[in-house]
Amino acid sequence: SLQRWMYGGPADRGNSSSFEVLDSMVDWAQVNYPHLRRLVVTGFSAGAQFLVRWAAMSPEGANGLTMRKFLPLTIIAGSPSTFLYLSEERPDSACVPDEDQGQYWTCNDFSIPSPGQDCDSHWNKYGSGLGGMHWRASSEGHTRYVANKYLQKSIDATSNSEVSKQIRGRWATKDVRYLFGAMDTKHCDVSACSNECEHMLTGKNRLQRGLNFVSHLKREFHGFEPLWGIFNFGHDHIRAFSSHYFITWALPYANKKYRVTDRVVVDKGAPVGDYVDRFYAAWECMDKCDRTSGCHSFMYIPIAGQCFLKDRCVDSSFSIVSLDSGEHEYQTYWKPCVAA
């Protein structure tokens, strides 16, 4: 399958797991950049599906640290459409309605699917759950075999139940975070997210699946509060990676005095400088604003990396443009100030 890399499957030639490839990249970065202080591994959509499984299967990130130099390692999965559940329970049917329930959805009821609702007993097979992860490698399915062989290099188990216990215990020590789009709500029967039976049990759209998975983690690890955030858009990697959550999580050393709106404010103010000659990261625009007299905010378009500095003192009460506006792809970055 062309998607087997998302599950830790082998390369086209040989039996190296895709998980091993990412492990080697994390190790390579530490060897070749000796002044690194921390690492962030991130992916969006299919890349996030891969990270959800890598986070559970890899020894990297245990206790929040890399293996070579014990550097802080953060894993950020943006808008995955499928998840690796860490127990046999799944959301009850009331938690997976066809209708979108919005970004404040919470699932409180989980159970093992009953016969007739268990996807021909495949609801927990590896990929959607930990079924088939054995302490001895199974030849059932080549991708599962390769993932099993990879897993056995870093765990010491003598039973299948011990395998699941060690995966869960190691995962609970990792710094794994999730980003979901508030409007990523197309039904998986009609859009690009997986409509396979075992995944449809977990939700009917990406947002619902993500929020159900957050509820699953809270249920499985009592007292644990998963780190997750919502960005006000659909299935859009640029919006995810330019969101306040991502910038705060991935770039903790960036300028923290700025806030960002979901869309540009209506009352923008007068221009005090434009930067459109190349792609500018948001943090570069922050620096430009800080160095420009009279700049209190700037309009930014993530897809083009252009920033337009403004004199307007903005605050959280300012109205933003509507989704049907020609400027709906712009955002306003602002810092607290006192207008003259």
Side-chain angles (χ1 to χ4, degrees), residues 36-322:
L36 279 177
R37 289 187 287 173
R38 66 189 291 263
L39 277 84
V40 176
V41 179
T42 188
F44 185 85
S45 196
Q49 294 182 64
F50 167 74
L51 283 185
V52 164
R53 296 172 178 92
W54 179 76
M57 306 293 281
S58 174
E60 290 288 358
N63 299 308
L65 303 171
T66 62
M67 294 180 64
R68 175 176 287 274
K69 289 189 174 181
F70 306 107
L71 299 179
L73 174 62
T74 297
I75 302 165
I76 305 175
S79 300
S81 70
T82 66
F83 293 86
L84 186 74
Y85 273 65
L86 301 175
S87 75
E88 294 185 346
E89 292 186 335
R90 295 295 183 272
D92 282 353
S93 58
C95 289
V96 289
D98 282 326
E99 302 79 15
D100 170 43
Q101 300 300 309
Q103 61 182 289
Y104 303 107
W105 175 252
T106 299
C107 179
N108 296 315
D109 300 309
F110 292 78
S111 60
I112 295 176
S114 58
Q117 305 294 324
D118 62 357
C119 305
D120 294 327
S121 300
H122 291 159
W123 88 95
N124 197 48
K125 71 178 183 181
Y126 172 66
S128 58
L130 298 178
M133 290 293 100
H134 301 304
W135 67 285
R136 290 177 176 170
S138 167
S139 59
E140 181 185 354
H142 191 45
T143 295
R144 186 181 304 169
Y145 172 79
V146 171
N148 253 324
K149 292 290 287 184
Y150 167 82
L151 181 65
Q152 289 168 15
K153 296 176 182 178
S154 64
I155 64 171
D156 182 20
T158 57
S159 68
N160 295 344
S161 61
E162 184 65 21
V163 170
S164 296
K165 181 179 178 181
Q166 289 192 28
I167 291 174
R168 287 166 51 90
R170 189 165 65 186
W171 183 93
T173 72
K174 298 189 177 189
D175 181 8
V176 187
R177 312 181 186 200
Y178 306 92
L179 276 172
F180 309 126
M183 291 172 275
D184 200 354
T185 56
K186 287 186 179 180
H187 199 289
C188 289
D189 273 339
V190 296
S191 69
C193 47
S194 173
N195 63 355
E196 293 181 355
C197 178
E198 60 268 25
H199 299 308
M200 294 297 283
L201 286 178
T202 68
K204 298 299 175 60
N205 61 61
R206 287 190 184 92
L207 176 61
Q208 189 184 92
R209 289 179 182 181
L211 297 178
N212 282 346
F213 187 70
V214 168
S215 296
H216 160 72
L217 294 177
K218 292 179 179 179
R219 178 180 176 87
E220 293 300 318
F221 303 97
H222 298 292
F224 174 72
E225 188 61 38
L227 285 170
W228 59 283
I230 298 283
F231 60 96
N232 195 25
F233 220 74
H235 198 63
D236 189 308
H237 66 283
I238 293 176
R239 288 289 182 168
F241 293 144
S242 63
S243 67
H244 176 70
Y245 282 106
F246 183 83
I247 292 171
T248 301
W249 292 344
L251 302 170
Y253 312 112
N255 196 325
K256 292 186 178 181
K257 62 189 173 191
Y258 281 87
R259 302 292 182 265
V260 60
T261 60
D262 291 323
R263 296 184 294 279
V264 69
V265 298
V266 175
D267 186 5
K268 304 172 187 65
V272 293
D274 297 343
Y275 291 89
V276 298
D277 58 308
R278 62 171 175 83
F279 188 99
Y280 287 87
W283 66 266
E284 291 182 287
C285 299
M286 296 177 196
D287 185 63
K288 295 292 186 185
C289 187
D290 286 343
R291 294 172 181 269
T292 301
S293 177
C295 182
H296 301 298
S297 59
F298 62 87
M299 185 168 70
Y300 184 68
I301 180 166
I303 195 170
Q306 297 176 343
C307 43
F308 305 85
L309 309 189
K310 305 292 183 180
D311 68 352
R312 177 68 69 225
C313 280
V314 176
D315 61 42
S316 57
S317 68
F318 273 52
S319 298
I320 61 176
V321 302
S322 64

